[in-house]
């Protein structure tokens, strides 16, 4: 296996204060002798300022970053941006009309200085877990920078680009949206060389309205494609499988069905939404011989145009097979070998809030509470159904589902019962329909609904016992990490009694 380069160069290319001011159409205010100074980094949080950094204060709903300019200067910032004239500022200041727009303009300029491939990952569900899998695989050959957490919006993406240094050989960036035009702006900054789309699901319907609207918005990732770019798509998704060509580029498809199975499915006249015949691509990358080891992961054979990869995926869940195939597609596009891809898949790890398994005091918690939509709920319930002894789903409201939110919550509740989960605890006004869906589907699944998370939590802690496997999942606004923390504290306390 080829060894990764150990460049060790942490500098930023061409990021002088003079170039930055020109890139963001700002007015430089400071000593002429400092114009040629190169910044060492750029942040919007004053707590992250290091000596030589550029501080970019952004106005938020509750906090105005301009209030922390003195703090940034005290911590050694090389310069600051500002929408407010900074009189007697001891450091260079670049005056701009909008610091948020300046952040994006600076990131766009910096991207032009970089000669490394960037992989852009989007989709309705699975962006973060796919990003982690892709980064794990690529790290077997390259020095990789990846999006931290899920910093994937019009602030998070430019900050991620500004973290790239000369030492990095490839970057894996997550790109998330909720409205039309957002992806266009993200793509203009990132200009991805490889585009990965995980699926077209049913989230952000308040603004995008339909799956067709979601596809249209996500497809803006292609707006700045280079002629020799690569596209990796989920061939099992009926919307994505119809994209047979994009700007003269043939996508690389991945899925569970091999060529023969695909032909058989087409012959059945299988229908998609609205009675239209489903168009399926023959996957270039497909999985076979799947052996599910429950919460210990999955063994799978991944077939690629270059040969077969026999791998163990250490993270549970069928959706992680999709993630591994997507990662294989991205890696093959960069010329990686099958052995390197296998090692990267087998080293993959989950991250906090994303199907992270936590054992504490005899209880196993599946911490998947960062966010939720109907598709990711089902995927997480599939994982929970592999739990030993008693399985408990602790779910909450899902946001941004539009006019069908009640029905979608009901269907998730029904799925809880269909997967034979032993107990459902749920909280929130929308989750009342979730509870009703579970009760209507069968009468042996214990179902508890509460108006608030706090009311639910007190009852949940009394109910749980050693040996339980507990899934915790809801949309971000429900603040379910506190549920995970409370369950862990409770069982740690029981263990010491």
């Amino acid at each position: 296996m080829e060894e990764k380069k150990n460049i060790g160069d942490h500098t930023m290319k061409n990021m002088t204060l003079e170039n930055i001011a020109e890139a963001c159409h700002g007015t430089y205010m400071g000593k002429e002798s400092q114009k040629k100074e190169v910044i060492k980094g750029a942040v919007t949080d004053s707590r992250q300022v290091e000596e030589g950094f550029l501080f970019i204060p952004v106005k938020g709903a509750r906090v105005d970053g301009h209030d922390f300019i003195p703090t940034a200067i005290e911590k050694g910032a090389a310069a600051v941006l500002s929408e407010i004239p900074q009189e007697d500022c001891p450091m260079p200041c670049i005056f701009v009309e909008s610091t948020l727009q300046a952040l994006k303009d600076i990131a766009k300029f910096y991207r032009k200085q970089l000669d490394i491939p960037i992989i852009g990952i989007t989709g309705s569900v699975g962006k973060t877990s796919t990003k982690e899998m892709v980064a794990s695989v690529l790290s077997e050959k390259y020095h990789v920078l990846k999006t931290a957490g899920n910093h994937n919006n019009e602030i998070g993406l430019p900050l991620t680009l500004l973290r790239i240094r000369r030492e990095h050989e490839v970057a894996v960036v997550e790109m998330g949206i909720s409205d039309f035009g957002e992806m266009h702006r993200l793509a203009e900054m990132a200009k991805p060389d490889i585009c990965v789309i995980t699926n077209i699901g049913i989230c952000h319907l308040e603004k995008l309205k339909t799956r067709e609207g979601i596809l249209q918005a996500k497809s803006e990732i292609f707006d700045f494609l280079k002629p020799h770019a690569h596209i990796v798509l989920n061939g099992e998704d009926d919307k994505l499988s119809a994209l047979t060509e994009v700007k003269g580029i043939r996508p690389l498809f991945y899925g569970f069905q091999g060529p023969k199975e695909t032909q058989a499915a087409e012959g059945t006249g299988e229908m998609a939404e609205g009675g239209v015949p489903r168009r399926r691509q023959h996957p270039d990358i497909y999985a076979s011989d799947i052996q599910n080891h429950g919460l210990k992961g999955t063994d799978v054979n991944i077939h690629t145009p270059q040969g077969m990869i026999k791998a163990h995926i250490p993270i549970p869940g069928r959706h992680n097979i999709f993630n591994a195939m997507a990662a294989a597609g991205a890696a093959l596009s960069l010329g990686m070998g099958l052995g390197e891809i296998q090692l990267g898949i087998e080293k993959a790890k989950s991250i906090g809030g994303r199907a992270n398994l936590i054992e504490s005091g005899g209880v196993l918690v599946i911490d998947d509470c960062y966010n939720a939509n109907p598709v990711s709920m089902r995927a997480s319930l599939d994982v929970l159904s592999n739990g030993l002894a008693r399985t408990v789903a602790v779910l909450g409201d899902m946001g941004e589902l539009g006019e069908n939110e009640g029905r979608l919550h009901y269907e998730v509740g029904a799925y809880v019962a269909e997967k034979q989960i032993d107990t459902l605890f749920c909280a929130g006004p929308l989750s009342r329909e979730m509870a009703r869906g579970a009760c209507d589907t069968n009468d042996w699944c214990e179902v508890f609904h509460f108006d608030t998370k706090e009311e639910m939590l007190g009852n949940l802690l009394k109910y749980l016992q050693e040996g339980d496997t507990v899934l915790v999942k809801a949309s971000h606004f429900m603040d379910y990490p506190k549920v995970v923390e409370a369950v862990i504290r409770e069982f740690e306390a029981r263990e010491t009694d």
Side-chain angles (χ1 to χ4, degrees), residues 55 57 59 61 75 85 174 176 184 196 203 205 234 287 387 415 451:
F55 177 56
K59 292 180 180 178
K75 295 183 74 171
E174 185 177 332
H184 177 89
V196 179
C203 55
L205 293 177
N234 179 354
Y415 196 72
D451 292 333

Side-chain angles (χ1 to χ4, degrees), residues 25-56:
H25 312 288
T27 302
Y28 176 83
M29 297 159 56
K31 295 179 181 178
E32 285 293 313
S33 60
Q34 292 178 292
K35 274 189 172 183
K36 300 297 182 181
E37 288 186 6
V38 177
I39 63 169
K40 297 179 179 179
V43 294
T44 57
D45 186 335
S46 63
R47 294 169 294 184
Q48 298 173 351
V49 170
E50 298 178 23
E51 188 173 347
F53 273 38
L54 172 68
F55 177 56
I56 305 175

Side-chain angles (χ1 to χ4, degrees), residues 457-475:
L457 190 52
N459 288 273
L460 174 67
L461 296 179
K462 295 176 184 176
Y463 179 86
L464 293 177
Q465 60 190 30
E466 185 177 342
D468 288 346
T469 301
V470 186
L471 167 68
V472 184
K473 189 170 182 65
S475 279

Side-chain angles (χ1 to χ4, degrees), residues 92-374:
C93 174
I94 299 173
F95 180 69
V96 295
E97 185 175 332
S98 165
T99 53
L100 180 56
Q101 183 59 47
L103 168 64
K104 292 185 277 190
D105 290 338
I106 293 168
K108 196 186 310 180
F109 167 78
Y110 187 49
R111 172 65 178 106
K112 292 178 182 178
Q113 316 309 307
L114 304 172
D115 57 2
I116 66 171
I118 289 183
I119 294 93
I121 298 176
T122 192
S124 298
V125 180
K127 292 184 293 295
T128 301
S129 58
T130 301
K131 175 257 299 182
E132 292 293 323
M133 184 71 78
V134 170
S136 178
V137 170
L138 297 186
S139 293
E140 287 301 306
K141 183 175 182 177
Y142 301 105
H143 191 172
V144 178
L145 179 128
K146 64 181 180 180
T147 298
N150 75 319
H151 296 171
N152 58 23
N153 60 15
E154 292 190 64
I155 294 179
L157 177 68
L159 288 174
T160 298
L161 295 175
L162 291 169
R163 287 174 47 225
I164 299 173
R165 298 293 182 267
R166 291 176 187 262
E167 63 188 300
H168 294 120
E169 297 170 291
V170 63
V172 184
V173 301
E174 185 177 332
M175 304 168 73
I177 62 165
S178 60
D179 204 353
F180 296 105
E182 287 182 65
M183 185 62 75
H184 177 89
R185 295 189 291 273
L186 295 179
E188 187 176 12
M189 286 185 275
K191 292 184 172 60
D193 301 275
I194 301 174
C195 298
V196 179
I197 306 183
T198 61
N199 47 56
I200 302 298
I202 44 176
C203 55
H204 302 305
L205 293 177
E206 284 186 333
K207 295 179 179 178
L208 302 179
K209 303 301 182 185
T210 64
R211 289 185 68 222
E212 287 75 13
I214 295 169
L215 175 64
Q216 178 185 338
K218 298 288 186 186
S219 295
E220 293 172 4
I221 195 173
F222 305 134
D223 288 355
F224 296 89
L225 278 185
K226 300 172 185 176
H228 301 294
H230 299 271
I231 299 170
V232 181
L233 302 178
N234 179 354
E236 297 284 320
D237 186 287
D238 60 303
K239 300 298 182 187
L240 294 176
S241 65
L243 300 179
T244 56
E245 185 179 293
V246 179
K247 295 187 174 181
I249 300 169
R250 181 195 177 278
L252 189 71
F253 288 96
Y254 61 91
F256 281 107
Q257 293 186 332
K260 292 182 180 178
E261 293 169 308
T262 305
Q263 291 169 10
E266 289 173 346
T268 64
E270 186 180 353
M271 296 295 176
E273 296 175 3
V276 178
R278 187 184 297 276
R279 297 178 64 188
R280 284 190 180 276
Q281 295 298 321
H282 298 173
D284 304 277
I285 300 171
Y286 64 94
S288 72
D289 302 291
I290 298 166
Q291 298 179 39
N292 184 356
H293 298 292
L295 298 176
K296 294 184 179 180
T298 309
D299 290 336
V300 62
N301 291 342
I302 299 176
H303 303 263
T304 80
Q306 275 69 50
M308 188 184 76
I309 302 165
K310 189 176 182 66
H312 173 72
I313 302 172
I315 313 169
R318 178 181 170 90
H319 57 289
N320 280 302
I321 304 176
F322 277 102
N323 296 346
M325 290 189 288
L332 289 173
S333 298
L334 290 175
M336 287 185 64
L338 299 181
E340 294 169 321
I341 296 171
Q342 176 193 347
L343 288 173
I345 291 172
E346 294 186 341
K347 291 179 183 178
K349 297 178 181 179
S350 60
I351 59 175
R354 303 278 180 169
N356 187 30
L357 303 184
I358 305 170
E359 292 188 67
S360 179
V363 69
L364 178 62
V365 179
I366 304 172
D367 171 13
D368 201 9
C369 58
Y370 179 79
N371 221 334
N373 58 56

Side-chain angles (χ1 to χ4, degrees), residues 377-421:
M377 278 285 197
R378 286 177 171 80
S380 296
L381 289 165
D382 288 342
V383 174
L384 176 63
S385 67
N386 291 310
L388 301 175
R390 191 170 64 169
T391 52
V392 181
V394 183
L395 309 180
D397 289 357
M398 302 175 287
E400 298 185 29
L401 295 180
E403 60 184 15
N404 293 319
E405 60 184 9
R407 175 178 60 80
L408 294 170
H409 279 80
Y410 181 94
E411 290 174 355
V412 166
Y415 196 72
V416 171
E418 290 169 12
K419 296 300 293 184
Q420 299 184 355
I421 305 302

